[in-house]
Amino acid sequence: MAIKLPIYMDYHATTPVDRRVIDEMLPFFTDVFGNAASRNHAFGWRAEEAVEHARERVAALVGAESPKEIVFTSGATESNNLAIKGAADFYRDKGNHIITTVIEHKAVLDTCKRLEKEGFQVTYLPVDAHGRVSAEAVEQAITDRTILVSVMLANNEVGTVQPIEEIGKITRARGVLFHSDGVQAVGKIPFDVVKASVDLLSITAHKMYGPKGVGALYVRRSRPRVRLVAQMDGGGHERGNRSGTLNVPGIVGLGKAAEIMRQEGLAEGERLLALRERLWKKLNAAIDDIHLNGHPEHRLPGNLNVAFAYVEGEAMMMAIKDVAVSSGSACTSASLEPSYVLRSMGVGEEMAHSSIRFGLGRFTTEEEVDFVADLVIEKVNKLRAMSPLYEMVKEGIDLKTIEWAAH
Amino acid sequence: MAYSDKVIEHYENPRNVGTLDKNDDAVGTGLVGAPACGDVMRLQIKVSDEGVIEDAKFKTFGCGSAIASSSLATEWLKGKNIDEAETIKNSMIAEELNLPPVKIHCSVLAEDAIKSAIADYRRKRAEKKALQGG
């Protein structure tokens, strides 16, 4: 069968909506269009019923003890903001210290920076060469002023899975709330909020084959009961945690996507792991000076992040333009700084510029993996034939001995 | 980011990729940029006794715009005498390739590479003259 181009290998950025999800959503745009907050007629009741069904499905996916612990939001950015700012506002009399990591998503990092301006102290924990934070470092950073620890379940760039259960044991023992940004990992790796002692968990639909613009925040209701200050004023929806008319079709989609993930996610993960290993083995066998970014084992099944030395990432993406991937080089951004995640793992700037992230997902096929592997091998060779660095290295010149003019 | 058709054309069919003998007296080599910044250009010119650039070659580690800028530079250099070649400005390269503002530094690097190659050639010639004179 001929390969259909372009090929999508950027599942960390977003995912297509599963047909089964769309089918459940569609009636809620037309026939069942009621406002879930309309308590006095059948249109409202049916919408509310659908929302509550979705809430149960999301609760089941994350392992919540009650559907009441699920607050629907517009997506993970809002969930992260609500979790961190909401907890900081509520518990500010108890303390003003927050602990997070340097590799969090901007929705967490910039939220923490905002809180710093308001007088909170934030500790940004470093990660090791594989992109992992240590539970001991979390423990050592906790003071009697610490109210919240926020560590992502898995990183979006390098796929490194964090030691969430170990951290959860520590935060629980020390009486500190624990938030995790679970966007990339929930449903894809074994995880539940009870086992991991997570008190707040952010998820979004569009990273798990649901629609964009809808997400959820898990907010623990017992042992401990977590309280948040709402960040938007309005009608007091979602038990006062998040005002705004509920996005019923979106929430129905999130519910269905969560249901599919709960049933199929782990088996899908095994399939993706095999495909990812296939891609890595092919590339590694054919290309010299290639490096795996991230952890070899504690890693999202669909993530492969590779540095092709002496080849610049953006040129690489242009060379494989029929394949949608993402680069650690940020040459297109105004800052021209390469990925802060790779840099904080100690990956050199030149290697960060040479890094490509392949994100495999539900609709990735073995044929696509083989096609991409062959194409990447061909283009790396082509670009290296054009690379003065590769030529110099082959001549035996140590690039570190050259006085480069930074520009 | 969307690239201009001219950038894509040069990127897909780069002119004058290769290496000239840097030990040849007639060859000037410019190596500019830094790996840490994500672009390194090496541009070489071979100059006749009459001061005309007979050949130009490049190799570039960098994004599509950097590769296109250096490819275009070698195309423009060939056949020019070195005084003319010195008048090539980054703005001319940026305009020809329709580079967006975030990619202007690629054309700046190409101008630097041209200047550096010419300076290297002149230095070699001066040394040779000095040797012959002595």
Side-chain angles (χ1 to χ4, degrees), chain A residues 310-312 314-315 318-319 321 331-332 336 349-350 353-354 382-383 385-389 391-392 395 404-407, chain B residues 1 3 8 11-12 14 17 19 31 33-40 42 59-64 67 102-103 105:
Chain A
Y310 322 121
V311 173
E312 198 275 333
E314 200 185 317
M318 206 169 157
K321 62 180 188 307
C331 259
T332 44
L336 302 178
E349 278 182 288
E350 65 282 11
H353 278 297
S354 298
K382 183 191 166 194
L383 288 168
M386 267 203 246
S387 168
L389 303 178
E391 184 186 301
M392 290 159 87
E395 281 174 0
W404 301 102
H407 56 281
Chain B
M1 189 185 68
Y3 289 97
I8 292 169
Y11 173 79
E12 285 180 350
V17 173
T19 307
L31 180 68
C37 302
D39 29 26
V40 174
R42 192 194 61 199
K59 282 198 177 188
T60 290
F61 163 81
C63 68
I67 289 170
V102 299
K103 293 296 183 186
H105 71 279

Side-chain angles (χ1 to χ4, degrees), chain B residues 48-93:
Chain B
S48 72
D49 292 340
E50 292 74 38
V52 175
I53 298 172
E54 292 176 323
D55 201 0
K57 296 276 186 204
F58 84 93
K59 282 198 177 188
T60 290
F61 163 81
C63 68
S65 301
I67 289 170
S69 295
S70 31
S71 169
L72 178 67
T74 56
E75 209 176 30
W76 280 357
L77 286 171
K78 277 186 168 184
K80 283 201 168 64
N81 73 47
I82 53 172
D83 295 329
E84 276 176 332
E86 257 189 327
T87 65
I88 296 174
K89 290 275 173 286
N90 83 283
S91 54
M92 296 153 73
I93 294 168

Side-chain angles (χ1 to χ4, degrees), chain A residues 35 37 39 230 232-246:
Chain A
N35 187 328
R39 293 282 161 78
M232 277 198 297
D233 297 312
H237 305 73
E238 297 297 274
R239 295 168 207 284
N241 283 309
R242 201 274 187 181
S243 288
T245 297
L246 294 182

Side-chain angles (χ1 to χ4, degrees), chain A residues 93-144:
Chain A
D93 292 337
K94 211 181 145 202
N96 69 340
H97 181 227
I98 294 168
I99 298 168
T100 187
T101 79
V102 292
I103 59 158
E104 298 299 311
H105 190 270
K106 289 287 180 193
V108 168
L109 290 177
D110 287 0
T111 296
C112 288
K113 281 185 190 136
R114 170 73 64 111
L115 288 171
E116 279 184 292
K117 283 185 195 144
E118 292 178 15
F120 284 86
Q121 310 275 319
V122 181
T123 300
Y124 299 91
L125 294 174
V127 293
D128 65 15
H130 290 142
R132 252 188 152 213
V133 66
S134 85
E136 294 77 54
V138 173
E139 179 149 43
Q140 281 162 18
I142 293 175
T143 72
D144 56 2

